[in-house]
Amino acid sequence: MDDLLQEFIAETRETAEALAGEIVAWEAAPGDRGRLDGIFRFVHTVKGSCGFLDLPRLERLAHAAEDTLAAVRDGRRVPDRAMVDAVLAIVDRITEIVDAMERGTPLDDGGEDLLIAALDGSAAPQAVESLVTPASPVAARAPMRSVRLGVDLLDRMMSGMSDMVLARNELARRLRAGDVDPSAEAALERLSATVAEMRETVTRTRMQKIDALFSALPRLVRDTAASVGKRIVLDIEGSDVELDREMIEVMRDPLVHIIRNSIDHGIEDGTARLAAGKPEAGRLTVSARQAGNQIVVEVVDDGRGIDTDRVIAKLVANGRDERSLRQLPEREKLALIFEPGFSTKDDVTAISGRGVGMDVVRAAIDGIGGRIELDSTPGRGLRLAIHVPLTLSILSTIVVAVGGQRLAIPRGVIEEIVSVRAAGVSVDTLGGQPVAMVRGRRLPMVTLSSLLGLAPADAAPNMLVIANVGPGALVIGVDDVLDHEELVIKPAAPAVMSAGVYAGQALPDSGRPMLLVDCAGVAHRANISFRREAPVATDTDAEQAAPGIEVLTFHDLDGVLRALPLAAVDRIETIAAHQLHRAGGRLRLHLDGVLVPLAALGDLPGGSFAALRLRDGTTEIAYAIGEASDIVRLPAELAAPAAPGAIAGVALYGDEPVELVDPLWLFAGHADVAAAEHKPLALLDEGEGGWMAIFLAPMLRGAGWRVAARLSEGEQADVVIRLDDDAPAAGDAAVVRLVTDPAAARRGDAIHRYDRAGLLAAVGARLEQRR
Amino acid sequence: MSELFLVAEVAGQSIAVASRSVESVVDLGEVTPTPLAARHVLGLATLRSRIVTVIDTAGTLTGTPSTGRPRRAIVSAIEGHHYAFVVDALDDVAMFAAQPLESGVALAGAWAGATSGLVEQGGTSALVVDLSALVPGIQGSRVN
């Protein structure tokens, strides 16, 4: 009985999934007798099985749907939208109940009466004569020669297969080493052939038709389109392409998200489409095809495409630097939609604007060694192609020589391999960062042998491997490209993985262990960050990459170009003359109902003027300026001013000197003194004049901290910051540890020293704890 | 209570490893280096179509990386990975009753964290070493 029930659950679910598409197709073509029969058969079979298994609830639902469909079959009713909705709802409900049965959880049966009532349109009880149709072709289902297997059993088979391949390799090696009897050699040949064939067969057991992914799409598209009031024609191609079952599971959510995005953001509504000279109904094509050892799933719509200007505007509104975004090549501007937390639609909709961004989609695809390509034609549509490897467990790799060692690089991430000496290829250094120019593309470069410490830092590579690492492309310089090999990848020991540059280990035919390079890890280890300061991946100019302080530059009232750390600036406001008050020998601005002290270096103009509002916790002051100029990153080295005062130092930006205004001085001199006393104190525990004093101090001051290299008598630090040192804190101050090595930062609670946001968050959190 | 121990020599010191934690004892072939891996990881070696991570046992215990080519090793499976702990020589396999260290015996360096007692054999004593405490980068490891 239990077996029967399991069988029933599995079968009902499978059929229900396959059916969702059928029902939608039937709605579009109500005359299609074949489809109607299919649906009818489903509910009829469910009803029959339920009676047998004594499942009255399911039986009732199936029975009601069967009655309605029978009426349609007999021509007594014409299917309309409401009826299709009702039938879909019943099918959904049946799946829900079946799922609940499998989990053994109870399911509320509320609303089932309504579902049934909805079937006859009027939602009123209707005395449809029970038309029992025993003649319906239940037996017409093709007998299946198949068995159901647990996926873990298949996984075990696969892993056993991998071991078998390795054992075969070992045997072959041993035989080759000695003097071999030709008959032994022949036996080995035969074994090899069998093992290869078995491997393919076993791999196939993990394969599933991508239809398993696609069959739910018609329903998804219909429901999504209906909820935003659009009409969409869906085309599906290549449903019979086979793919690793695990891949299918991983791709399910990303695909749903991409399609929802297309319908919600990409395809315009009917009126807009007609106005743009397009057919009223949007067109969405989802297709799958095999290309070599990759599967390409494409989602193509004929909507408005990606408006990169809006994308940039949105990111700028979220605090990104507009100038550097505008400098990006078109391809990378498109890729900005993968930035975390990004959503183009200004208002959040129920469909796609719910916080799951394209960054999650990309992360999922990256996770299985795939990549996403975007191809947008403004006004004409978007083509989004997901490339994923055929299978997870056997990876296609390129073997490279690095400092006398062999390493494997996953083929999936490799865009191209070029020789350093090829035409159109050159290697250069920009601000200390090696950069490769490949036919006009400027890409950050890492010489793998130097990174791994196998060669001096200035070693010159012979071959350049262009690797796609999620947010950008990276050139990995290697000594030589040796071979192409299919490898069974297994995770390496934690002590090896901790290097942060390996994705696993494998035993190739040579019998010598080989490590698989994690290209994203290499980029990280080499301090190439595509996400933070420099999404200017191909455009890394020295000033952008160099650490420094982000400042707002402005022409001050006395005409001098000055700057304030961006972190200290709350916003820029235009001040009308009547908002200015002179009281108690001080200038104050009347802003939002409060009086804010105003600082100025120079004479205030007669009429309105601009002012920067600087905020430090609860204290606020304003600083009058002539005109705001730009947001730039200033180098950390500042020439010291002649006398201590408002100017913290002078830096060069381009050819122009910029005076950096010391926000601390402004607050100290102008804010209500009591408030300034309460600034928390950060102790930079490194002695005098070290890295932190130069790099961190301006940023911390900008964020409202007092900074000291040593404590004076009776002073108590709120936070102690240490670099590459894990001594305990003196007193009860909390310690924030910074590390130079990004890999170390990823492992522990330490923070990478250029991780500005991470540091500020950490000191903030420590301060919260103390309070 | 007696237990079967494997007695080996590391950095001039006799060590005893509980045989239940030992999978096999091997002669290492070529060791493939693993650049940037944790300290005291010598590299990867192949063992009957399996990859083992080779650990510089002497370096881990004394803090001074050993220089010679690794030859013999004790293989142990720890948290799903196989490790080969390099030893200078293998002396014996015998039943011993492990004794606690006398109070007042202070061990230097990582010895303290990895040693749980000693066994005595004909006048010489061997320190009982817990191999899983020697693996860098895993939970429960006492060395870095």
Side-chain angles (χ1 to χ4, degrees):
Chain A
M1 183 68 187
D2 226 27
D3 282 352
L4 275 176
L5 195 62
Q6 285 305 324
E7 181 81 4
F8 165 71
I9 288 172
E11 196 180 302
T12 305
R13 182 177 312 122
E14 264 175 30
T15 332
E17 273 168 20
L19 212 59
E22 294 281 297
I23 297 180
V24 176
W26 169 58
E27 180 194 30
D32 189 338
R33 186 69 189 215
R35 291 219 156 87
L36 178 59
D37 284 346
I39 302 159
F40 183 84
R41 216 151 43 226
F42 169 73
V43 287
H44 182 80
T45 311
V46 171
K47 192 190 83 169
S49 310
C50 292
F52 177 64
L53 292 166
D54 192 22
L55 302 165
R57 249 173 94 187
L58 280 175
E59 189 181 8
R60 195 164 144 254
L61 286 170
H63 187 95
E66 188 192 13
D67 280 353
T68 308
L69 291 169
V72 175
R73 267 156 63 104
D74 295 353
R76 285 181 291 122
R77 281 192 68 178
V78 178
D80 54 21
R81 190 176 191 95
M83 192 184 113
V84 174
D85 278 338
V87 173
L88 275 178
I90 297 254
V91 172
D92 279 352
R93 190 66 179 179
I94 290 175
T95 322
E96 269 171 47
I97 296 176
V98 162
D99 283 347
M101 273 162 61
E102 190 178 33
R103 287 193 305 268
T105 51
L107 186 71
D108 187 308
D109 67 350
E112 270 167 29
D113 288 331
L114 274 176
L115 287 180
I116 292 170
L119 274 175
D120 50 33
S122 62
Q126 193 193 47
V128 180
E129 266 176 67
S130 186
L131 283 165
V132 188
T133 47
S136 84
V138 184
R141 258 185 317 142
M144 285 194 297
R145 289 230 310 128
S146 64
V147 285
R148 284 178 209 288
L149 286 178
V151 173
D152 54 333
L153 187 63
L154 292 177
D155 285 346
R156 259 167 43 211
M157 209 156 95
M158 194 66 202
S159 115
M161 195 61 231
S162 305
D163 288 345
M164 200 149 117
V165 170
L166 296 178
R168 190 273 325 250
N169 294 347
E170 170 94 13
L171 182 64
R173 204 159 42 244
R174 296 270 150 124
L175 280 180
R176 254 180 253 130
D179 224 357
V180 192
D181 182 348
S183 64
E185 188 125 23
L188 179 69
E189 281 297 306
R190 227 171 36 244
L191 177 66
S192 297
T194 318
V195 165
E197 200 185 308
M198 272 294 287
R199 180 156 108 173
E200 213 190 304
T201 315
V202 173
T203 307
R204 280 226 318 267
T205 63
R206 290 173 56 92
M207 299 300 228
Q208 205 173 10
K209 286 210 169 90
I210 202 161
D211 190 42
L213 192 58
F214 285 179
S215 63
L217 298 185
R219 173 80 192 270
L220 171 78
V221 170
R222 172 191 183 273
D223 289 356
T224 311
S227 70
V228 291
K230 294 177 185 174
R231 275 185 53 215
I232 312 266
V233 179
L234 173 70
D235 275 335
I236 292 182
E237 292 162 18
S239 292
D240 49 0
V241 168
E242 290 195 327
L243 189 59
D244 191 297
R245 170 186 332 271
E246 227 168 305
M247 298 285 194
I248 288 186
E249 283 320 306
V250 176
M251 280 175 59
R252 199 177 287 276
D253 288 346
L255 190 65
V256 166
H257 192 77
I258 288 167
I259 287 176
R260 283 184 166 151
N261 261 329
S262 258
I263 296 173
D264 196 20
H265 304 320
I267 293 175
E268 314 88 332
D269 58 35
T271 11
R273 290 183 61 87
L274 287 174
K278 299 184 199 179
E280 190 188 345
R283 189 166 202 94
L284 191 66
T285 309
V286 181
S287 64
R289 68 190 148 85
Q290 187 172 347
N293 58 353
Q294 289 199 324
I295 297 287
V296 185
V297 176
E298 273 188 351
V299 179
V300 184
D301 69 48
D302 66 345
R304 56 171 78 94
I306 296 176
D307 180 349
T308 49
D309 284 341
R310 269 182 64 197
V311 172
I312 290 176
K314 180 94 184 180
L315 284 170
V316 169
N318 286 345
R320 292 288 295 271
D321 177 18
E322 179 159 5
R323 218 175 61 125
S324 63
L325 293 180
R326 294 249 172 246
Q327 282 169 358
L328 292 173
E330 199 55 31
R331 221 167 82 115
E332 285 174 38
K333 278 188 193 165
L334 285 179
L336 289 172
I337 63 163
F338 295 117
E339 295 277 315
F342 173 80
S343 162
T344 39
K345 196 95 178 196
D346 300 325
D347 48 329
V348 172
T349 66
I351 310 302
S352 40
R354 60 184 115 189
V356 196
M358 289 296 282
D359 56 322
V360 178
V361 169
R362 162 112 100 186
I365 301 299
D366 279 356
I368 50 173
R371 64 196 162 86
I372 302 181
E373 262 175 24
L374 290 173
D375 185 1
S376 168
T377 320
R380 302 284 296 280
L382 174 70
R383 187 184 71 91
L384 191 148
I386 309 172
H387 296 246
V388 294
L390 263 179
T391 176
L392 282 176
S393 39
I394 298 175
L395 196 68
S396 178
T397 65
I398 298 291
V399 179
V400 297
V402 173
Q405 247 191 284
R406 291 162 150 258
L407 292 168
I409 299 178
R411 204 169 158 161
V413 305
I414 298 179
E415 258 181 37
E416 192 181 356
I417 298 175
V418 293
S419 163
V420 173
R421 283 167 289 279
V425 176
S426 65
V427 173
D428 206 354
T429 310
L430 269 184
Q433 156 88 56
V435 167
M437 285 288 290
V438 180
R439 290 188 303 274
R441 274 173 89 191
R442 192 185 297 148
L443 301 166
M445 186 177 99
V446 179
T447 304
L448 201 49
S449 55
S450 309
L451 183 82
L452 296 179
L454 299 170
D458 55 355
N462 296 317
M463 299 296 283
L464 304 179
V465 176
I466 304 175
N468 221 313
V469 287
L474 162 82
V475 170
I476 297 179
V478 299
D479 299 345
D480 203 359
V481 173
L482 299 174
D483 204 358
H484 161 240
E485 196 150 9
E486 307 265 319
L487 295 175
V488 178
I489 305 291
K490 303 215 163 145
V496 176
M497 294 303 259
S498 67
V501 295
Y502 306 119
Q505 61 190 15
L507 200 53
D509 290 351
S510 70
R512 293 170 53 183
M514 190 147 68
L515 288 161
L516 181 73
V517 175
D518 169 10
C519 294
V522 166
H524 195 107
R525 177 109 195 171
N527 274 333
I528 295 170
S529 154
F530 297 100
R531 278 184 200 277
R532 288 246 168 74
E533 270 84 68
V536 258
T538 62
D539 233 291
T540 319
D541 83 46
E543 245 140 25
Q544 296 274 351
I549 334 158
E550 212 169 1
V551 297
L552 174 77
T553 60
F554 51 87
H555 293 280
D556 214 329
L557 295 173
D558 55 4
V560 179
L561 185 63
R562 294 212 172 92
L564 264 165
L566 194 58
V569 179
D570 200 15
R571 63 184 125 130
I572 307 174
E573 202 140 316
T574 308
I575 307 295
H578 69 85
Q579 286 175 284
L580 186 65
H581 294 264
R582 279 170 215 275
R586 266 192 175 169
L587 289 174
R588 286 174 198 272
L589 291 180
H590 191 255
L591 289 169
D592 308 333
V594 290
L595 281 176
V596 176
L598 176 72
L601 293 179
D603 297 326
L604 286 173
S608 66
F609 58 95
L612 304 177
R613 293 180 71 169
L614 314 178
R615 186 182 288 278
D616 169 27
T618 53
T619 319
E620 191 178 9
I621 60 171
Y623 182 89
I625 59 168
E627 191 193 355
S629 164
D630 203 353
I631 292 172
V632 300
R633 188 165 279 276
L634 283 186
E637 288 93 345
L638 298 177
I647 307 303
V650 182
L652 272 184
Y653 184 70
D655 296 325
E656 261 182 297
V658 181
E659 293 185 1
L660 186 69
V661 179
D662 184 354
L664 182 68
W665 184 87
L666 289 182
F667 275 96
H670 293 82
D672 299 301
V673 182
E677 289 290 321
H678 286 293
K679 277 178 191 259
L681 176 64
L683 174 65
L684 304 182
D685 195 8
E686 57 169 354
E688 296 286 359
W691 179 87
M692 289 196 284
I694 300 167
F695 286 76
L696 289 191
M699 179 188 81
L700 285 168
R701 287 201 187 103
W705 289 74
R706 282 182 302 140
V707 177
R710 70 168 57 117
L711 296 174
S712 43
E713 202 63 40
E715 239 179 345
Q716 178 67 258
D718 290 287
V719 166
V720 177
I721 301 176
R722 292 211 172 93
L723 179 64
D724 289 332
D725 177 2
D726 43 20
D732 61 348
V735 175
V736 171
R737 291 202 313 117
L738 297 184
V739 288
T740 309
D741 176 2
R746 270 184 296 164
R747 280 198 304 278
D749 59 350
I751 295 160
H752 182 225
R753 66 176 184 176
Y754 295 143
D755 184 353
R756 175 194 172 89
L759 172 64
L760 286 177
V763 293
R766 303 294 197 284
L767 188 62
E768 281 300 320
Q769 279 166 19
R770 276 177 68 81
R771 282 173 177 165
Chain B
M1 201 182 73
S2 282
E3 196 186 341
L4 200 58
F5 280 97
L6 178 70
V7 181
E9 204 169 296
V10 173
Q13 166 75 51
S14 281
I15 64 162
V17 178
S19 73
R20 66 189 138 80
S21 64
V22 175
E23 200 178 278
S24 58
V25 172
V26 294
D27 286 322
L28 286 173
E30 196 175 348
V31 175
T32 307
T34 48
L36 304 183
R39 265 181 92 196
H40 307 311
V41 171
L42 293 177
L44 304 177
T46 319
L47 199 67
R48 287 192 302 277
S49 72
R50 211 167 51 203
I51 299 176
V52 296
T53 307
V54 185
I55 306 288
D56 178 2
T57 320
T60 309
L61 287 167
T62 62
T64 317
S66 46
T67 46
R69 175 169 135 37
R71 290 179 192 283
R72 311 216 77 187
I74 302 173
V75 176
S76 177
I78 297 162
E79 294 195 359
H81 293 277
H82 287 88
Y83 295 91
F85 295 91
V86 177
V87 296
D88 297 336
L90 287 161
D91 294 340
D92 199 4
V93 179
M95 296 293 283
F96 292 106
Q99 304 158 14
L101 280 175
E102 286 90 352
S103 59
V105 177
L107 298 172
W111 283 105
T115 308
S116 60
L118 54 77
V119 296
E120 279 196 19
Q121 177 193 32
T124 59
S125 46
L127 290 170
V128 176
V129 167
D130 175 11
L131 291 179
S132 64
L134 300 182
V135 180
I138 67 167
Q139 205 74 108
S141 160
R142 273 157 275 182
V143 293
N144 284 305

